[in-house]
Amino acid sequence: MALATGICQSKPAANADPLTNRVTSQNLMFGVDFADFSCIVVLIQKVAMQIHISSDGVPIYQQIVDQIRFRIVSGVLHCGDELPTIRGLAESLQVNPNTVARAYRELQQEGLVEKRRTTGTFVAELVEQHSLAQRRRLLAPHVDKLLTFSRQFGFSVDELITLVRKRDEQSPRSESPS
């Protein structure tokens, strides 16, 4: 069973604990206006998982799918890891449980997760290691977005590559999946 907590950023939520500005699964309510604040939900399990819901126009279920898919493909979530319950994640994210159910269904159709009757949703056993092509496919939309932004700001591809290399040199190294 996952324990869910959230930390509200920007302006505090009305349902947050006034001392800690934390929103817990005990005091979350539906009907949140996401334009007012952004809430990052941390699900504490074997591996801590953060799901960030934004109001940028991407459907909420798709944001959930994308973030969980990324964690599975990148190796953050491993075969057999349990995902939060539909109800628990929905309460934590302050969304309708049908939204989370739809996200889990899509992940199941892709073969990334499997539902086990009465025990929960788990990362599929068949998802051992994803190929370089699969990881590139996941990265492609982010590269496209970066290219679009850089063009809008008047940077050439060469200038962008130089900037990426400089940022890479400054960023801490972490293990990458092989």
Side-chain angles (χ1 to χ4, degrees):
M1 179 115 188
L3 169 68
T5 62
I7 300 173
C8 292
Q9 298 177 338
S10 296
K11 67 183 190 183
N15 57 354
D17 181 311
L19 297 175
T20 63
N21 195 31
R22 285 189 164 292
V23 178
T24 64
S25 55
Q26 287 79 28
N27 63 3
L28 291 177
M29 307 198 83
F30 291 107
V32 171
D33 181 4
F34 287 105
D36 287 342
F37 68 91
S38 173
C39 192
I40 296 176
V41 175
V42 180
L43 298 162
I44 303 163
Q45 300 178 177
K46 287 182 183 177
V47 177
M49 181 171 38
Q50 294 182 350
I51 303 283
H52 176 75
I53 302 299
S54 66
S55 59
D56 62 359
V58 177
I60 293 171
Y61 87 93
Q62 190 63 54
Q63 293 180 52
I64 296 168
V65 167
D66 291 344
Q67 291 178 52
I68 293 174
R69 182 189 301 124
F70 175 78
R71 283 168 180 78
I72 293 170
V73 172
S74 66
V76 173
L77 290 174
H78 304 285
C79 297
D81 283 351
E82 184 175 4
L83 296 181
T85 64
I86 290 171
R87 184 179 303 218
L89 185 57
E91 287 176 359
S92 300
L93 295 174
Q94 301 178 354
V95 300
N96 189 308
N98 292 329
T99 302
V100 176
R102 181 176 179 183
Y104 280 15
R105 260 193 321 274
E106 187 166 316
L107 290 165
Q108 188 176 11
Q109 289 171 349
E110 291 179 20
L112 295 174
V113 302
E114 59 187 14
K115 257 188 148 173
R116 297 180 192 160
R117 263 186 121 148
T118 70
T119 57
T121 305
F122 297 83
V123 176
E125 296 297 330
L126 299 176
V127 183
E128 294 275 335
Q129 196 60 262
H130 290 273
S131 70
L132 179 61
Q134 289 171 312
R135 292 186 310 215
R136 282 185 176 153
R137 192 174 60 241
L138 279 173
L139 185 60
H142 300 287
V143 172
D144 293 344
K145 189 181 278 188
L146 180 60
L147 283 168
T148 300
F149 282 138
S150 66
R151 287 180 187 131
Q152 289 173 345
F153 290 127
F155 290 98
S156 69
V157 173
D158 291 333
E159 290 171 318
L160 177 62
I161 290 170
T162 301
L163 179 61
V164 169
R165 284 193 176 126
K166 284 181 183 176
R167 295 292 293 181
D168 181 53
E169 290 169 2
Q170 296 171 356
S171 68
R173 298 283 178 208
S174 64
E175 288 185 34
S176 61
S178 51

